[in-house]
């Protein structure tokens, strides 16, 4: 059996893509999402939200030193990390739902790589001209004018990338203060480091890697290919109408002679406007991000030659087969998988909203000391030690009355904490703070349980009567 020798590179070398400017419905949608998305990203750190004295007034802030996340009226603590889990589930299900409805519309309209690449392309066209101008300039020898244009383009790219990195770090500290510190070189080194990293990645990914990120680096195209089905809407070249391809003049002659002629005039406009250089007429491909720009380009040509628009459109594989069979198109957006994804989003979202609306502004936790589990005193009583932590999420100081329940005659003791008139320990906790103390629960010999017994630590807000409790266990010596 002979050997098969394959010569040549293991992968096709990348070819520079020169997307042409296009106008139309989908291009307007993309411009709108780009402007709104970038405006939110760049300006949101400067939006203020009054939370009271001593609290940060930045609407969206990830306060790492104090381990808090603020989002307008919502304040999340490290103990509430499950909210982020819920957000990740909702994000994943939303991505699955979008894919089930219309393929990679996330990639085409909302992905940060797409948005920043679109912005960089707009700068490139503004400085160097449209597709034809850029191709000719790259083929010709370098001139002073071309060098100046390229230098201007890269300078503007770097400025956009720099502000992109700068805007990111503003979410981690008070934005106006950090901007001032950055300008006067008084900001922490970590801020300059992350600005440098994000400036470099934005400049490289949006300015140079571009479609290579979508085709080779991003895992989502491979994942969505396994999740999609024949009912999902995808940007589709309607071969039943477009083939056979021919020129405008030849198509008219064929139609007059009663012979078949497709609407596609092989003008290559769908390829010229594609940001990844895909020929959609070859079918759905890994490089197609479903942005719809080829639809705008093709519709413009169809209007010019007085043919119906929609030669390229969002369509399904089912409808392509139905048209060939002479049947009308059928669209089924509501089906098992879309209902399932929407139901999961609704359920998880409802749970998160309910817990946010009903969550307490205080909590208590207790951790039983393991070494030793218990101590037997000289009078026969038994003592268990615990680490008790109080959490005050309010913006004012609060006093909590601490008591222990579950074992008769149990007495809780700790140092540095006074007792109230009713004998309960009164624990003071500052605004938006936690307080940890070591507490001992002692039970007389006559009331010792025969086995490990659950006990309850209950904290009561002296001013409002709000309570929080936690359960642990009490261990008696050898019983």
């Amino acid at each position: 059996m002979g050997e098969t020798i394959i010569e040549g590179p293991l992968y096709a070398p990348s070819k520079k893509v020169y997307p042409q400017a296009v106008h139309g419905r989908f291009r307007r949608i993309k411009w709108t999402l780009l402007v709104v998305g970038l405006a939110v990203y760049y300006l949101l750190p400067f939006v203020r939200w009054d939370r009271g004295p001593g609290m940060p007034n930045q609407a969206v802030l990830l306060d790492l030193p104090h381990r808090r996340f603020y989002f307008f009226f919502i304040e999340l603590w490290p103990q509430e990390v499950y909210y982020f889990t819920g957000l990740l589930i909702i994000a994943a299900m939303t991505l699955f739902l979008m894919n089930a409805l219309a393929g990679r519309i996330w990639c085409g309209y909302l992905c940060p790589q797409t948005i920043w690449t679109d912005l960089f392309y707009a700068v490139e066209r503004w400085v160097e001209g449209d597709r034809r101008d850029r191709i000719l300039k790259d083929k010709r020898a370098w001139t002073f004018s071309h060098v100046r244009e390229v230098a201007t383009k890269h300078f503007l790219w770097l400025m956009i990338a720099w502000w992109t990195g700068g805007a990111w770090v503003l979410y981690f500290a008070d934005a106006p203060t950090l901007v001032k510190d950055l300008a006067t070189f008084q900001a922490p080194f970590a801020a300059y480091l992350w600005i440098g990293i994000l400036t470099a990645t934005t400049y490289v990914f949006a300015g140079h890697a571009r479609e290579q990120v979508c085709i080779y680096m991003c895992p989502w195209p491979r994942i969505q290919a396994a999740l999609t089905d024949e009912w999902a809407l995808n940007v589709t070249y309607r071969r039943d109408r477009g083939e056979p391809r021919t020129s405008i003049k030849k198509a008219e002659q064929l139609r007059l002679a009663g012979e078949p002629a497709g609407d596609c005039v092989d003008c290559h406009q769908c390829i010229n406007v594609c940001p990844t250089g895909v020929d959609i007429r070859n079918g759905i491909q890994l490089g197609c991000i479903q942005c719809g720009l080829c639809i705008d380009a093709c519709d413009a040509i169809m209007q010019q030659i007085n043919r119906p628009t929609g030669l390229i459109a969002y369509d399904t594989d089912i409808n392509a087969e139905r048209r060939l069979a002479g049947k009308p198109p059928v669209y089924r957006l509501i089906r098992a998988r879309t209902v399932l994804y929407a139901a999961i989003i609704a359920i998880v979202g409802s749970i998160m909203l309910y817990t946010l609306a009903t969550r307490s502004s205080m909590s208590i936790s207790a951790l039983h000391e393991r070494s030793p589990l218990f101590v037997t005193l000289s009078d026969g009583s038994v003592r268990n030690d615990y680490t008790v932590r109080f959490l005050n999420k309010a913006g004012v100081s609060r006093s909590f009355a601490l008591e222990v329940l579950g074992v008769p005659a149990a007495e809780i003791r700790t140092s540095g904490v006074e007792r109230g008139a009713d004998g309960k320990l009164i624990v003071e906790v500052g605004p938006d703070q936690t307080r940890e103390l070591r507490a001992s629960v002692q039970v007389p010999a006559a009331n010792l349980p025969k086995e490990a017994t659950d006990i309850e630590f209950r904290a009561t807000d002296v001013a409002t009567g709000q309570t929080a409790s936690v359960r642990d266990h009490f261990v008696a010596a050898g019983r």
Side-chain angles (χ1 to χ4, degrees):
M1 187 173 182
E3 295 182 355
T4 301
I5 300 176
I6 301 176
E7 297 181 352
L10 296 177
Y11 60 92
S14 62
K15 298 180 180 179
K16 187 173 181 179
V17 179
Y18 297 87
Q20 182 175 303
V22 63
H23 305 282
R25 175 178 50 176
F26 295 103
R27 179 66 267 182
R28 288 192 296 271
I29 293 174
K30 285 172 66 64
W31 280 131
T32 301
L33 293 174
L34 182 149
V35 171
V36 172
L38 292 180
V40 170
Y41 174 75
Y42 289 129
L43 300 178
L44 190 57
F46 297 96
V47 177
R48 302 293 96 182
W49 188 268
D50 185 14
R51 297 186 178 88
M55 300 291 289
N57 65 347
Q58 187 163 312
V60 180
L61 175 65
L62 183 57
D63 189 354
L64 294 179
H66 298 94
R67 293 179 294 177
R68 305 283 188 278
F69 174 68
Y70 300 96
F71 185 82
F72 292 91
F73 62 90
I74 299 173
E75 177 185 351
L76 298 182
W77 289 57
Q79 296 88 339
E80 298 170 321
V81 68
Y82 46 82
Y83 285 113
F84 295 100
T85 303
L87 287 175
L88 290 176
I89 294 174
I90 290 176
M93 291 300 107
T94 301
L95 205 58
F96 294 167
L97 178 60
M98 294 169 68
N99 176 71
L101 292 175
R104 292 172 63 185
I105 53 174
W106 163 263
C107 302
Y109 298 91
L110 298 170
C111 176
Q113 171 67 15
T114 296
I115 289 177
W116 265 278
T117 300
D118 263 358
L119 179 60
F120 276 45
Y121 272 137
V123 171
E124 188 172 57
R125 294 190 192 101
W126 178 60
V127 176
E128 294 189 76
D130 208 350
R131 170 185 166 84
R132 183 185 298 273
D133 296 328
R134 299 199 306 276
I135 292 176
L136 291 175
K137 289 175 183 178
D138 283 352
K139 289 181 178 180
R140 294 172 182 167
W142 284 87
T143 64
F144 175 78
S145 176
H146 190 199
V147 171
R148 183 188 60 195
E149 289 177 349
V150 171
T152 302
K153 176 186 71 174
H154 285 278
F155 172 76
L156 294 175
W157 281 358
L158 284 169
M159 289 300 97
I160 295 171
W162 168 74
W163 187 241
T164 299
W168 175 255
V169 301
L170 298 183
Y171 285 91
F172 295 84
D174 182 68
T177 303
L178 184 55
V179 168
K180 180 181 177 181
D181 291 343
L182 288 169
T184 57
F185 300 100
Q186 296 178 350
F189 172 75
Y192 295 105
L193 175 63
W194 280 107
I195 290 175
I197 293 173
L198 292 170
T199 297
T201 53
T202 304
Y203 173 73
V204 171
F205 289 161
H208 296 277
R210 293 179 171 178
E211 75 281 353
Q212 304 299 312
V213 175
C214 304
I215 297 174
Y216 298 110
M217 298 175 63
C218 180
W220 178 236
R222 283 85 178 168
I223 297 173
Q224 70 88 28
L227 293 174
T228 193
D229 61 10
E230 67 275 14
W231 290 104
L233 291 168
N234 288 289
V235 174
T236 304
Y237 167 66
R238 290 168 169 168
R239 300 185 61 85
D240 55 296
R241 178 185 148 188
E243 301 296 325
R245 306 173 197 170
T246 183
S247 65
I248 299 175
K249 186 176 294 186
K250 183 69 177 293
E252 292 176 354
Q253 295 173 354
L254 290 173
R255 293 188 185 101
L256 289 174
E259 298 181 17
D263 283 347
C264 179
V265 295
D266 209 18
C267 63
H268 284 202
Q269 285 301 298
C270 56
I271 306 174
N272 294 343
V273 302
C274 181
T276 59
V278 164
D279 187 348
I280 192 62
R281 297 173 299 176
N282 295 332
I284 298 176
Q285 300 157 63
L286 189 67
C288 179
I289 61 174
Q290 305 288 310
C291 63
L293 296 183
C294 55
I295 299 177
D296 288 338
C298 186
D299 284 351
I301 296 297
M302 292 297 105
Q303 290 172 358
Q304 292 175 17
I305 64 175
N306 297 317
R307 299 299 297 171
T309 59
L311 176 58
I312 301 176
Y314 278 97
D315 207 350
T316 67
D317 294 342
I318 292 290
N319 284 334
E321 298 174 0
R322 291 179 64 87
R323 282 194 302 274
L324 290 174
K327 299 179 181 179
V330 176
Y331 300 96
R332 192 175 295 173
L333 299 180
I334 300 176
R335 53 193 192 275
R337 67 173 60 198
T338 59
V339 171
L340 175 62
Y341 297 150
I344 294 175
I345 293 171
I347 292 171
V348 175
S350 299
I351 293 173
M352 292 177 63
L353 289 175
Y354 175 78
T355 55
L356 276 172
T358 59
R359 67 175 182 164
S360 173
S361 61
M362 58 176 287
S363 67
I364 182 175
S365 61
L367 179 65
H368 197 290
E369 296 291 339
R370 298 295 180 183
S371 181
L373 282 174
F374 56 86
V375 176
T376 303
L377 304 178
S378 58
D379 59 358
S381 61
V382 173
R383 187 190 78 216
N384 283 199
D385 296 324
Y386 304 84
T387 299
V388 182
R389 175 174 293 177
F390 299 84
L391 175 60
N392 174 22
K393 300 178 183 178
V396 296
S397 297
R398 300 167 77 177
S399 300
F400 299 116
L402 178 63
E403 58 183 326
V404 62
L405 307 171
V407 178
E411 181 181 2
I412 185 169
R413 300 176 180 177
T414 188
S415 60
V417 177
E418 298 181 356
R419 294 184 181 273
D422 56 359
K424 298 178 182 178
L425 295 174
I426 305 299
V427 183
E428 303 286 343
V429 183
D432 198 42
Q433 294 181 14
T434 61
R435 181 176 178 182
E436 186 178 284
L437 54 85
R438 183 182 176 88
S440 299
V441 176
Q442 186 170 325
V443 177
N447 301 97
L448 289 175
K450 296 181 180 180
E451 56 186 14
T453 303
D454 286 344
I455 61 173
E456 177 185 351
F457 293 91
R458 179 181 297 175
T460 304
D461 188 325
V462 175
T464 65
Q466 183 181 1
T467 63
S469 62
V470 64
R471 287 187 174 273
D472 209 305
H473 56 272
F474 182 87
V475 180
R479 293 174 183 260

